[in-house]
Amino acid sequence: MAEKDKGFRLEEIAYIHTDFPAKFGIPRQSGLADTKAEIVFAPKYRSPDACKGLEEFSHLWLIWGFSGAVREKWSPTVRPPRLGGNKRVGVFASRSPFRPNPVGLSCVALERLEKREGKGIVLHVRGADLMDGTPIYDIKPYLPYVDCRREASGGFAERMKGYGLQVEIPSVWLEMIPKEHREILAQVLSQDPRPSYQDDPRRVYGMEYAGMEVRFQVQGNILRVCEIECR
């Protein structure tokens, strides 16, 4: 049985298209920002029958690959950003991308299904925390009666769930942001995109989002956008 299992590999069934061309700035968890994305199936999996009945569900589980964080080696411990990047915990007690198998899990809201010429069924989703072009290995419906455990304990992540920054975007830069992206960008920035080990109030950080280069500084609990460059 072990010899037979050696030939198994995950195959990409789809790819997601988001407004995040790079890793920096992507929400740390799904659902933290109302990001919008499209899931386009690979040609082999574009049969409309594969999505039959999917429109009845409001949310989906995405199983995907950390395509931007693949490493040959893995570590049994990692430094979660919400613990300041200083305290180590076991990799299986975290959602770090640096795992024995670089596989991620996200819950997204399903907005609608679109039949698109040459692409088959395209899924429009909200709340994704994935980089543009990320491979999707599987899609499963979210089932509230079994997937929602109200008695569950969230460990150290639960203690940090209220963390957030106050976001200030001066009007000169706010006007450069398309209206449909303003609130989403503010949500993303409020989650503090910086690496947990960096806390220099003089440093200017930059992230790519929706065709823009957004530069900002953080002083205390306030994140202030200092420049936006459209690309």
Side-chain angles (χ1 to χ4, degrees):
M1 187 68 176
E3 290 296 321
K4 183 178 179 180
D5 289 344
K6 287 183 179 179
F8 174 79
R9 71 174 291 272
L10 291 174
E11 184 175 359
E12 299 89 342
I13 66 164
Y15 294 88
I16 194 166
H17 296 288
T18 73
D19 288 314
F20 298 96
K23 291 185 295 182
F24 186 76
I26 296 176
R28 299 183 190 278
Q29 302 291 341
S30 58
L32 291 180
D34 198 31
T35 54
K36 299 182 183 298
E38 294 181 356
I39 297 175
V40 179
F41 288 93
K44 182 179 177 180
Y45 299 99
R46 288 179 183 170
S47 169
D49 290 340
C51 293
K52 187 176 181 180
L54 198 62
E55 70 279 357
E56 297 183 25
F57 298 91
S58 65
H59 291 74
L60 306 172
W61 287 114
L62 304 181
I63 300 173
W64 49 277
F66 284 102
S67 54
V70 177
R71 293 181 176 181
E72 291 186 3
K73 297 181 179 180
W74 69 282
S75 172
T77 61
V78 295
R79 294 187 176 98
R82 282 297 177 254
L83 290 179
N86 297 315
K87 182 178 179 180
R88 284 188 174 274
V89 301
V91 65
F92 301 129
S94 79
R95 295 191 175 185
S96 167
F98 306 114
R99 322 184 66 79
N101 292 304
V103 177
L105 178 69
S106 296
C107 180
V108 297
L110 177 62
E111 282 195 321
R112 62 188 176 92
L113 283 68
E114 174 197 357
K115 188 175 182 179
R116 185 177 298 175
E117 185 69 27
K119 299 292 184 181
I121 300 296
V122 175
L123 308 183
H124 293 259
V125 300
R126 292 185 292 106
D129 55 340
L130 286 74
M131 187 170 67
D132 184 51
T134 294
I136 306 296
Y137 296 134
D138 203 1
I139 297 171
K140 300 177 185 289
Y142 176 92
L143 304 179
Y145 78 99
V146 290
D147 291 340
C148 181
R149 301 289 185 176
R150 298 188 181 278
E151 75 280 10
S153 172
F156 65 83
E158 185 76 13
R159 298 192 292 272
M160 301 300 296
K161 68 178 182 180
Y163 175 82
L165 299 176
Q166 178 183 330
V167 178
E168 295 183 355
I169 306 178
S171 58
V172 63
W173 306 122
L174 187 64
E175 293 174 0
M176 295 182 64
I177 306 171
K179 290 183 179 180
E180 66 270 22
H181 292 300
R182 291 177 183 176
E183 183 177 352
I184 298 174
L185 177 59
Q187 291 173 346
V188 171
L189 293 174
S190 71
Q191 296 298 317
D192 195 352
R194 299 174 300 166
S196 53
Y197 54 84
Q198 293 183 1
D199 189 22
D200 183 353
R202 298 166 299 177
R203 178 164 180 169
V204 176
Y205 300 86
M207 60 169 281
E208 296 179 72
Y209 171 70
M212 299 175 287
E213 175 76 20
V214 182
R215 300 185 179 95
F216 61 89
Q217 290 179 298
V218 179
Q219 296 183 349
N221 197 48
I222 297 177
L223 182 150
R224 183 178 179 84
V225 173
C226 52
E227 187 179 5
I228 290 181
E229 179 182 343
C230 296
R231 299 195 168 181

